[in-house]
Amino acid sequence: MRKELKISAIRNGTVIDHITSGMALKVLHILGLDEDPPTSTVSVIMHVPSRVHSFKDIVKIEDRELKKQELNRIALLSPHATINIIRDGEVAEKHHVRPPREVVDLASCENPNCITNSREPVSTRFKVIRKEPMVLKCVYCGREQDVCVERL
Amino acid sequence: MDFRGRDVVSINDFTLEEINYILDVAEGMVPAAKGEEVLDLIPGKILAMMFYEPSTRTMLSFETAMKRIGGKVIGFSDVRATSTAKGETLADTIKMVEAYADVIVLRHDREGAARMAAEFSDIPVLNAGDGAGQHPTQTLLDLYTMRSELGYLRKKSIALVGDLKYGRTVHSLTYALAKFGANLHFIAPEALQLPPEVVSHLEKRNTNFEVHEDLSDVMGEVDVLYVTRIQKERFPDIEEYNKVAGAFRIDTDSLAGAKKSMIIMHPLPRVDEIATDVDGTQHARYFQQAFNGVPVRMALLSLVLGADLGVLK
């Protein structure tokens, strides 16, 4: 019999479900999991049939509970994602990510001449002017822009 | 209406009522702006002019405006002579200057500089141009000129001509004219048309606007021809520039068919987009427009400094 490797349920950690299909690797990137490998297992499942949206991606991170700031980052890439915090094999908390009204200090502005891209002591700030696909407007220079993973 | 302590960063921060109020106050400033009256509305107040980029009209008219209402002026217009040359941030410079003055006028080469400066400053910051971003006091004097010439702006036909992509005066003015309900025409080569965020703003507001590539399409119907300079450095080769610049040049021949009452405005400096033979026609208003910067800036400075305007006629 052929041996199969199956992605099983995790005992402790975070399951990010309903990620927009194709975005899983970007989610790993903004969580820093692609550059800074975790000490435990991270599973990525892509292009899974979904009842709500025809396909979705899922990320399972063992032994790490995501913080609120990290949830907000995911909302920028995948507005329908759900976050399940798993403790002792049970879903202890379930959150829907909500696109924020304002994005503060999460992304850099695409306008190279924006004051936030100089050496001034100022955080970036964007108003969310459209949620899907997400469009941000820089509070400082006024430039409207898409969310770009390289700038997160 | 209380403007005391308020920043003037973007024209979008002001309602239509507020803009009209500022223009009303500016009207009352005209005799003093011409030197026919002496005003002492803000005795002892000091304006700090921080000009990180060169300017002639904006700098001189702010200075004149402050002096005409009884205030004093300090400042710099050459960054090389300041601590910025040693690496000081704008934020630090602002925190220092606010201790020396009662109001700041800032021109900077980066978009968003005035918004950031206003956050760091406890005294009012007036944006005198931030990179390719906003230039609200220019917009106010443009609106003042149009309103005083046409009476009102609703449904008036206003054409903006030239560099609509990079020209900062055009973006601020477009937002404001949309607020006033004017019908807008944008005339520019395709490469220099309005940026998408300005277009989407107009669409959201249901503004009546049309885009053209040829000036003669609208010459007969417009009430205002607002001309801006097309900058050579925006074009990869000089021949392309010459072709475009020639097509958007206004001279007395190109004005054939224009309404008698049509006025031509320009934020200046002009290079050769308006021929000098237009200066003597009934249409030219650009030098009047440059003068209007003084009463408008007198009004703004008086308002943000909380002057008692009861003495104005």
Side-chain angles (χ1 to χ4, degrees):
Chain A
M1 207 170 96
R2 200 154 55 97
K3 195 177 174 187
E4 287 188 18
L5 187 64
K6 193 179 166 192
I7 295 176
S8 57
I10 61 172
R11 180 133 192 94
N12 288 299
T14 306
V15 175
I16 311 167
D17 200 356
H18 300 289
I19 299 170
T20 306
S21 182
M23 288 290 181
L25 295 177
K26 291 182 178 179
V27 167
L28 290 187
H29 177 72
I30 61 167
L31 294 176
L33 293 171
D34 57 344
E35 287 171 0
D36 185 16
T39 47
S40 54
T41 307
V42 174
S43 315
V44 178
I45 315 163
M46 297 181 78
H47 213 59
V48 182
S50 157
R51 269 175 300 169
V52 188
H53 303 98
S54 47
F55 290 96
K56 65 178 180 179
D57 292 355
I58 303 169
V59 169
K60 297 185 180 190
I61 309 160
E62 287 187 43
D63 299 325
R64 177 172 161 189
E65 295 188 5
L66 288 186
K67 298 185 189 79
K68 195 165 180 245
Q69 176 85 344
E70 293 171 311
L71 298 182
N72 285 343
R73 282 175 188 252
I74 294 168
L76 296 181
L77 290 176
S78 191
H80 301 289
T82 57
I83 312 289
N84 299 294
I85 305 294
I86 313 293
R87 291 178 197 135
D88 291 329
E90 301 288 332
V91 178
E93 291 173 33
K94 191 177 179 93
H95 306 286
H96 288 272
V97 301
R98 286 228 173 83
R101 286 167 135 182
E102 231 185 35
V103 177
V104 180
D105 211 12
L106 274 183
S108 60
C109 180
E110 72 165 26
N111 174 7
N113 204 42
C114 177
I115 193 75
T116 59
N117 283 322
S118 62
R119 31 183 296 279
E120 298 294 335
V122 60
S123 300
T124 58
R125 217 163 85 220
F126 299 89
K127 286 217 155 33
V128 176
I129 57 167
R130 204 169 70 199
K131 290 191 172 169
E132 222 181 328
M134 191 168 283
V135 178
L136 306 177
K137 182 173 185 174
C138 175
V139 166
Y140 293 94
C141 75
R143 175 85 63 95
E144 290 183 14
Q145 50 205 281
D146 300 328
V147 176
C148 172
V149 69
E150 285 75 27
R151 291 200 307 275
L152 288 171
Chain B
M1 242 174 248
D2 191 9
F3 286 85
R4 189 190 307 246
R6 209 162 148 182
D7 302 305
V8 180
V9 173
S10 161
I11 196 73
N12 295 336
D13 299 341
F14 293 86
T15 65
L16 184 58
E17 291 71 30
E18 287 172 335
I19 293 173
N20 271 318
Y21 180 71
I22 295 166
L23 304 188
D24 291 344
V25 173
E27 262 173 33
M29 296 288 181
V30 171
K34 288 179 175 166
E36 294 163 4
E37 279 176 15
V38 176
L39 291 176
D40 197 14
L41 296 174
I42 46 160
K45 298 287 186 190
I46 294 174
L47 160 64
M49 308 262 279
M50 299 171 61
F51 276 68
Y52 289 82
E53 269 203 324
S55 158
T56 311
R57 265 157 304 281
T58 307
M59 196 175 75
L60 291 179
S61 68
F62 259 117
E63 193 163 344
T64 302
M66 189 63 179
K67 290 178 175 170
R68 292 282 198 208
I69 54 174
K72 294 183 171 62
V73 180
I74 59 168
F76 59 82
S77 58
D78 183 356
V79 187
R80 287 168 302 178
T82 70
S83 290
T84 306
K86 299 176 194 158
E88 185 171 62
T89 61
L90 173 62
D92 277 3
T93 312
I94 288 281
K95 280 190 272 187
M96 175 200 66
V97 168
E98 73 168 347
Y100 299 159
D102 303 288
V103 58
I104 291 171
V105 168
L106 172 70
R107 170 168 288 191
H108 201 273
D109 55 347
R110 281 191 178 262
E111 288 93 76
R115 181 75 67 200
M116 187 202 79
E119 288 176 357
F120 278 93
S121 169
D122 287 331
I123 63 173
V125 172
L126 276 61
N127 183 5
D130 56 344
Q134 296 270 318
H135 193 0
T137 66
Q138 175 74 44
T139 307
L140 287 165
L141 78 88
D142 291 342
L143 294 169
Y144 178 87
T145 305
M146 291 182 197
R147 202 185 75 161
S148 57
E149 295 287 338
L150 307 176
Y152 59 95
L153 300 181
R154 189 168 167 72
K155 301 280 183 206
K156 292 288 186 185
S157 195
I158 296 166
L160 305 178
V161 186
D163 179 356
L164 309 184
K165 186 173 184 184
Y166 301 100
R168 63 180 154 205
T169 55
V170 167
H171 305 162
S172 294
L173 183 59
T174 300
Y175 290 131
L177 289 170
K179 248 178 207 153
F180 275 86
N183 295 334
L184 302 177
H185 300 274
F186 299 105
I187 302 153
E190 201 181 344
L192 294 179
Q193 270 293 353
L194 281 186
E197 62 263 27
V198 184
V199 173
S200 77
H201 178 93
L202 295 177
E203 286 168 346
K204 261 183 238 160
R205 289 193 64 101
N206 291 323
T207 303
N208 204 344
F209 73 97
E210 289 174 18
V211 174
H212 310 266
E213 283 194 43
D214 194 340
L215 193 55
S216 60
D217 291 352
V218 295
M219 189 56 90
E221 60 173 293
V222 298
D223 300 299
V224 178
L225 205 57
Y226 190 100
V227 185
T228 61
R229 185 159 55 98
I230 294 177
Q231 294 178 38
K232 263 188 204 155
E233 56 270 29
R234 306 292 184 206
F235 290 85
D237 74 276
I238 190 77
E239 274 187 31
E240 185 62 20
Y241 164 76
N242 287 336
K243 209 166 78 186
V244 168
F248 291 87
R249 188 165 191 264
I250 314 282
D251 55 24
T252 45
D253 291 341
S254 65
L255 295 174
K259 283 183 186 176
K260 269 191 178 164
S261 59
M262 186 272 281
I263 60 166
I264 302 173
M265 295 172 60
H266 191 302
L268 305 178
R270 72 169 155 182
V271 181
D272 46 17
E273 53 279 358
I274 302 178
T276 48
D277 63 356
V278 177
D279 297 358
T281 67
Q282 71 219 30
H283 304 295
R285 287 297 184 286
Y286 24 93
F287 295 116
Q288 177 64 37
Q289 180 188 357
F291 163 75
N292 289 344
V294 178
V296 166
R297 290 174 175 127
M298 287 167 75
L300 279 172
L301 290 166
S302 306
L303 287 166
V304 301
L305 288 169
D308 177 5
L309 300 173
V311 296
L312 295 180
K313 283 168 192 156

